[in-house]
């Protein structure tokens, strides 16, 4: 005869803990199987294989008695079937094994007479563990009955197993029977629980007092000032506690599942009016309950279909229908009002605790109650919004109440409280360590002393518990950290903990105390004499309180998960995203939108080690969602900022000088008063006048929306999701950089078709306005906007940005080099020396744009500020490239006429011979002059640009510019090789800063680069031969003897108002000096520049002096203007002097020439 089981030997507490965890794991696997089989894309391929369709139908029809001989079509794929379906099959085998263990434990608890112990107010852990196990078991069986193709999966695997191993799987007969038994799960479950009625009824009865107290309406909460810390100021520092502390933050959703499903397993108890009342209350709070994750049960139709099969319970059908009508008509409003109350209550909690985090200690219970209440309401809204009522009720308005635009606010305050608990965890630890040591240990010791006949097991456990919490010290918190230690193993000889014995980086671990308390609850059975908790309620309440206090020390993360885990959003992804976008579109809720990315960090909590294969999918889903949320938030903020910037640019544009003319004219004209008022309204600044502050302008609304959204982005510096860290501000950085870059290029307004482009000064004004708006973003969010400016503006100084797109530099580079300067070469536009700009001479030259509006000092300074030294260097390189192309053509002309030019160089003092030789050059002279004029025009524009750059840099970096000037002043002349290298380096630096050098280093560099590659593209010998020097000298001769040809051109007339020739011949002065200095340097004859230019002056002077002997008026039409050119060549040269000019050319001719052109211009 077997002896009766003893409670202390059965490890009921451990079994309940392990089996509940196992239930969640198997539920996770069954859930994934159901989702996979319900999706055509993810279900096993064999189930949708048409060649196996007849076999599958046969298996389903004959299940579980399947004859494998009739399934020969499976023989070819039997091994593949086993591989593919093994995970599914053995999940069901695990379920069968779990079912056996659950049944065994439930039976054992009944045998031990634990119905006396199952009281949620006393034995919380035991009762909760038992009810969780029962409901998890019910959920498993209901979910099993919902798995499509379960018969096909099991039948196919077993048939394939039999074909491979000549026998079916040993578990299949029992599996098949289980599948058949639970086709209608509630019927079978109610039969199974007949022996457990007493146990289950006792556990559920203990909820009768708790549930009505927890299931209150918002008005009742409001009347009781639920969760308010300031309701009773005198009690503000007193610890919040009750006799049933764990019940206070127990999920109401869990309570309702226990009651509604629990009583269905023992339906005859519904004849009891008290039971029926509590049961119908749970049915009136909603029309669906959660099974697992997003799997729900339409509870009323589920119950109704079951009750209709039980004649003795048919009267209850009308109660269910009435409850359904009540739920549909009143529940949405009730829950909406609850959410409304919780929004303000949690906000008050977070504000007070943020200001006074020390209150977290005594009021921790309020925090976890608030989180639990809020989580219940969020879960209710999610499942009911996703699953509308099956039958409509006339008086119901559920559709409106199931869309909550204020939900983000509730979620945000939940996240805020969670963050406070994590941030001030040490405050909680310090408080509760003192509480445990200073009160709980003493109170427990006194209670133990008052107990008589305490069994040995309980005595040992309680003594150990009392000793352990009595040894705690606050210093352990100060030195503690993250490493787990066993407190009972670090006591000294006197049994006391010391600071030195607590290793740095250690933490507390009270799991042993909590498990011991769970064991005591399990030991308190009817069949065992000893400590009966129902007779010692004071001790039960104290130890429940101690358990809560220990959780505040070492179990905070798990407590937060228990009360506020929102990982359910992972499975309601559409609702999650819809709520996010609804929040994004509702400015009043924008500041709370950060809650959505923060919730993504919860999603790791919904995984289970029994089902590791889903971790990857949940991980990827949560990472993609948080990334999408942060992208959308940053994009919306960027769009608002862009709108504000565009509006401010429009207002800034109205302040430009070009818009003042209409206002000036309107003042001069005498108009009617009404018209004057209308004009005044259009003035810049009128938009700032307000009649009342209540009238919000569009700009006000935009700033308000930006403030709210930036609050969300700035709320936390990082969001941790799985092992990844997301920085919301970095998303804003990226979007602002991209938008700023696109805006800059867009504001250039370059049109390739019409060749239109924005004036640099206007663009600079717009850019500054844009930047000033962006700088205000720093007032809303902690970002360094200078970083955005540096990244974007520096990229704009290059020809391409980091994305390969064109930049401001590229567009202006193209426009100035290929459009403006080409139009200058075409005529009607001249370079004015006194205006320091290119000026249109005629109305034709001013179409489609006026050159002076783009090339004057202000515009080029604005350009220099926009594109900086790097951009100006790129512009210079482009201009030098155009010059190098012209030089190549000039060289070609020299080579063709080499013999003639050699003769002219040696016979320049023989007029008749020079005249004959010049006739041979006549066809090429115009080409040489034209190309030299082009070079001169380019160099004049470059000089303007360089001067503008210098002016801009003088303002920005005056000290650096003075240092560069000092270098130039003290650099050696370049007599030795080392000094020459130093000179080149200083010249390059000076040129980059906009200073003019005797020899242009940029032009020398481009000439070398052009010559280093021959016409076939093959790199040639880089040594410069004497031939290059000769060609350069001959080119100099060619230009010198061609200058007199300018005198016969109509376009050479001198414009005194502009100090320029109409055909830009005056640009030859700069072109000749710069080009030949560079060419001789390139040839390695830098020391000969002065001598060669003297030779040029002699050739040009003798050629021009011969014009004095000409009698043909056509030949000397603009002789005076040409004489002035010679004067300008000397004036521009750093190598030639006026004394040299006087020696070669009478200054009286030049003075007379100036007099003549000014006189002609006055009379003309």
């Amino acid at each position: 005869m077997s002896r009766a089981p003893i409670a202390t030997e059965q490890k009921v507490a451990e079994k309940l803990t392990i089996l509940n965890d196992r239930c969640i794991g198997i539920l996770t696997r069954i859930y994934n199987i159901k989702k996979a089989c319900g999706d055509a894309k993810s279900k096993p391929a064999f189930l949708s294989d048409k060649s196996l369709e007849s076999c599958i139908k046969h298996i389903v029809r004959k299940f579980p008695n399947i004859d494998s001989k009739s399934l020969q079509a499976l023989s070819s794929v039997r091994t593949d079937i086993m591989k593919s379906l093994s995970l599914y099959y053995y999940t069901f085998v695990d379920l069968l094994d779990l079912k056996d263990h659950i049944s065994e434990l439930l039976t054992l608890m009944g045998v031990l007479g634990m119905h006396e112990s199952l009281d949620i107010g006393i034995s919380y852990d035991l009762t909760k563990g038992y009810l969780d196990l029962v409901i998890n078991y019910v959920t498993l069986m209901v979910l099993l009955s919902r798995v499509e193709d379960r018969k096909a999966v099991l039948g196919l695997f077993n048939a394939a197993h039999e074909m491979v191993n000549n026998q079916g799987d040993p578990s299949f007969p029992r599996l098949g029977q289980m599948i058949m038994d639970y086709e209608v799960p509630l019927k079978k479950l109610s039969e199974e629980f007949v022996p457990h009625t007493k146990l289950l009824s006792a556990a559920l009865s203990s909820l009768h007092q708790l549930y009505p107290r927890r299931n209150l309406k918002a008005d009742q909460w409001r009347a009781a000032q639920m969760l308010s810390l300031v309701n009773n100021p005198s009690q503000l520092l007193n610890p919040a506690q009750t006799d049933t502390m764990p019940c206070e933050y127990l999920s109401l959703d869990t309570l309702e599942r226990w009651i509604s499903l629990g009583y269905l397993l023992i339906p005859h108890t519904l004849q009891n009016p008290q039971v029926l009342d509590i049961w119908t209350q749970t049915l009136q709070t909603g029309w669906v309950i959660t099974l697992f994750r997003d799997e729900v049960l339409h509870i009323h139709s589920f119950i109704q279909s079951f009750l209709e099969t039980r004649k003795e319970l048919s009267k209850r059908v009308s109660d269910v229908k009435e409850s359904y009508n009540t739920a549909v008509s009143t529940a949405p409003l009730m829950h909406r009002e609850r959410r409304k109350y919780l929004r303000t209550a949690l906000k008050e909690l977070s504000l007070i605790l943020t200001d006074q985090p020390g209150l977290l200690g005594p009021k921790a219970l309020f925090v976890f109650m608030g989180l639990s209440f809020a989580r219940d309401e969020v879960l209710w809204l999610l499942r009911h919004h996703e699953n509308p009522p099956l039958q409509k009720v006339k008086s119901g308005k559920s559709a409106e109440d199931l869309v909550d635009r204020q939900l983000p606010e509730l979620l945000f305050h939940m996240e805020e409280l969670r963050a406070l608990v994590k941030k001030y965890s040490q405050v909680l630890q310090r408080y509760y360590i003192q509480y445990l040591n200073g009160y709980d240990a003493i109170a427990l010791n006194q209670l133990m002393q008052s107990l008589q006949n305490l069994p040995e097991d309980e005595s040992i456990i309680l003594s150990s518990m009392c000793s352990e919490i009595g040894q705690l010290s606050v210093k352990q918190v100060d030195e503690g950290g993250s490493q787990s230690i066993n407190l009972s193993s670090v006591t000294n000889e006197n049994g006391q903990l010391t600071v030195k014995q607590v290793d740095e980086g250690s933490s507390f671990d009270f799991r042993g105390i909590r498990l011991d308390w769970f064991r005591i609850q399990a030991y308190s059975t009817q069949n065992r004499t000893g400590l009966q908790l129902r007779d010692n309620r004071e001790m039960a309440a104290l130890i429940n309180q101690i358990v809560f206090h220990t959780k505040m020390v070492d179990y905070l993360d798990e407590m937060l998960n228990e009360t506020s885990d929102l990982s359910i959003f992972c499975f309601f992804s559409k609702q999650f995203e819809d709520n996010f976008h609804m929040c994004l579109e509702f400015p009043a809720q924008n500041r709370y939108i950060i809650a959505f990315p923060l919730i993504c960090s919860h999603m790791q909590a919904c995984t289970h080690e029994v089902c590791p294969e889903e971790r990857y999918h949940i991980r990827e889903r949560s990472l993609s969602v948080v990334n999408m949320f942060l992208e959308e938030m940053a994009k919306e903020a960027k769009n608002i900022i862009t709108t504000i910037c565009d509006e401010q640019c429009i207002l800034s544009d109205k302040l430009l000088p070009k818009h003042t003319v209409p206002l000036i004219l309107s003042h001069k004209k005498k108009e009617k008063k009404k018209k004057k008022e209308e004009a005044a309204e259009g003035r810049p600044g009128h938009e700032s006048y307000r009649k009342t502050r209540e009238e919000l302008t569009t700009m006000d609304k935009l700033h308000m929306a930006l403030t709210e959204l930036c609050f969300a982005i700035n709320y936390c510096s990082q969001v941790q999701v799985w092992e990844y860290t997301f920085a919301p501000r970095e998303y804003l950085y990226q979007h602002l950089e991209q938008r700023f870059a696109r805006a800059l290029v867009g504001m250039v307004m370059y049109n390739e078709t019409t060749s239109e482009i924005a004036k640099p000064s206007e663009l600079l004004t717009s850019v500054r306005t844009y930047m000033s708006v962006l700088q205000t973003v720093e007032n809303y969010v902690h970002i360094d906007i200078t970083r955005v400016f540096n990244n974007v503006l520096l990229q704009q100084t290059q020809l391409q940005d980091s994305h390969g797109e064109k930049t401001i530099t590229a567009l202006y580079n193209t426009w100035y080099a290929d459009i403006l300067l080409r139009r200058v070469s075409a005529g009607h536009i001249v370079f004015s020396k006194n205006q320091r700009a290119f000026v249109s001479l005629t109305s034709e030259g001013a179409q489609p744009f006026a050159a002076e509006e783009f090339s004057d000092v202000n515009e080029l300074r604005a350009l220099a500020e926009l594109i900086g030294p790097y951009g100006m260097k790129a512009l210079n390189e482009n201009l030098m490239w155009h010059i190098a192309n012209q030089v190549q053509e000039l060289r070609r002309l020299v080579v063709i006429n080499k013999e003639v030019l050699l003769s002219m160089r040696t016979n320049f003092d023989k007029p008749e011979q020079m005249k004959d030789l010049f006739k041979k050059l006549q066809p090429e002279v115009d080409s040489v002059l034209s190309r030299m004029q082009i070079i001169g025009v380019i160099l004049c524009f470059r000089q303007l640009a360089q001067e503008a750059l210098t002016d801009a840099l003088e303002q920005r970096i005056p000290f650096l510019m003075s240092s560069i000037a000092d270098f130039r002043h003290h650099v050696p002349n370049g007599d030795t090789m080392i000094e020459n290298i130093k000179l080149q380096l200083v010249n390059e630096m000076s040129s980059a800063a906009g200073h003019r050098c005797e020899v242009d280093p940029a032009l020398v560099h481009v000439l070398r680069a052009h010559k280093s590659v021959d016409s076939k593209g093959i790199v040639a010998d880089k040594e410069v031969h004497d031939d290059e020097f000769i060609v350069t000298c001959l080119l100099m001769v060619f230009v010198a003897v061609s200058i007199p040809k300018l005198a016969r051109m109509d376009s050479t007339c001198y414009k005194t108002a502009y100090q320029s020739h109409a055909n830009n011949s005056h640009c030859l002065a700069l072109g000749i000096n710069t080009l030949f200095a560079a060419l001789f340097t390139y040839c390695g004859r830098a020391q000969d520049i002065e001598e060669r230019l003297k030779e040029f002056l002699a050739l040009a002077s003798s050629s021009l002096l011969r014009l004095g002997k000409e009698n043909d008026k056509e030949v000397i039409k603009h002789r005076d203007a040409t004489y002035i050119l010679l004067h300008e060549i000397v004036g521009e040269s750093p190598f030639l002097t006026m004394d040299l000019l006087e020696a070669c050319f009478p200054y009286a001719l030049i003075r007379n020439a100036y007099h003549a052109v000014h006189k002609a211009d006055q009379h003309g």
Side-chain angles (χ1 to χ4, degrees), residues 47-59:
L47 299 178
S48 52
D49 191 343
K50 291 187 177 180
S51 62
L52 302 179
E53 191 173 347
S54 59
C55 294
I56 293 172
K57 286 182 178 178
H58 176 77
I59 289 170

Side-chain angles (χ1 to χ4, degrees), residues 522-568:
Y523 296 167
S524 178
T525 63
Q526 184 185 27
N527 300 346
R528 179 174 178 270
T529 57
L531 181 64
Q532 297 296 324
L533 293 179
R534 64 180 180 276
D535 299 328
N536 293 278
R537 289 180 175 272
E538 185 181 353
M539 189 184 75
L542 176 62
I543 300 181
N544 278 329
Q545 178 181 305
I546 291 173
V547 166
F548 176 77
H549 295 167
T550 63
K551 288 182 177 180
M552 294 300 98
V553 178
D554 72 329
Y555 208 64
L556 277 176
D557 288 338
E558 290 78 2
M559 281 289 288
L560 288 175
N561 281 339
E562 182 183 336
T563 55
S564 61
D565 172 45
L566 293 173
S567 58
I568 190 71

Side-chain angles (χ1 to χ4, degrees), residues 255-270:
L255 279 173
E256 289 171 352
R257 290 176 71 227
W258 287 349
I259 295 169
S260 56
L261 292 176
Y263 277 119
L264 280 180
L265 302 178
I266 46 175
H268 59 278
T269 59
L270 294 174

Side-chain angles (χ1 to χ4, degrees), residues 910-979:
K910 300 173 182 177
E912 294 301 323
Q913 196 171 343
M914 287 289 287
K915 192 172 184 180
D916 294 335
L917 290 171
F918 185 74
K919 289 179 180 177
K920 295 179 182 179
L921 294 178
Q922 196 76 14
E924 312 292 352
V925 169
D926 288 343
S927 178
V928 169
L929 288 174
S930 174
R931 294 185 185 283
M932 284 302 295
Q933 282 174 345
I934 290 171
I935 291 172
V937 165
I938 293 173
L939 287 171
C940 286
F941 174 75
R942 178 173 179 265
Q943 186 181 35
L944 289 179
Q946 291 290 86
E947 288 172 359
L949 175 61
T950 304
D951 293 342
L953 293 180
E954 287 284 359
Q955 288 185 343
R956 290 299 182 92
I957 47 172
F959 299 108
L960 189 57
M961 290 296 285
S962 64
S963 299
I964 293 172
D966 193 53
F967 272 119
R968 292 182 67 221
H969 181 70
H970 293 96
V971 69
N973 292 327
D975 295 333
T976 65
M977 183 181 293
I978 295 176
E979 289 180 351

Side-chain angles (χ1 to χ4, degrees), residues 1031-1042:
V1031 169
T1032 302
C1033 289
L1034 295 179
L1035 175 59
M1036 184 183 68
V1037 173
F1038 208 156
V1039 173
V1041 301
S1042 300

Side-chain angles (χ1 to χ4, degrees), residues 185-196:
L186 202 52
K187 181 180 178 183
K188 178 64 178 175
L189 287 166
S190 62
E191 293 172 3
E192 274 188 40
F193 272 84
V194 170
H196 310 307

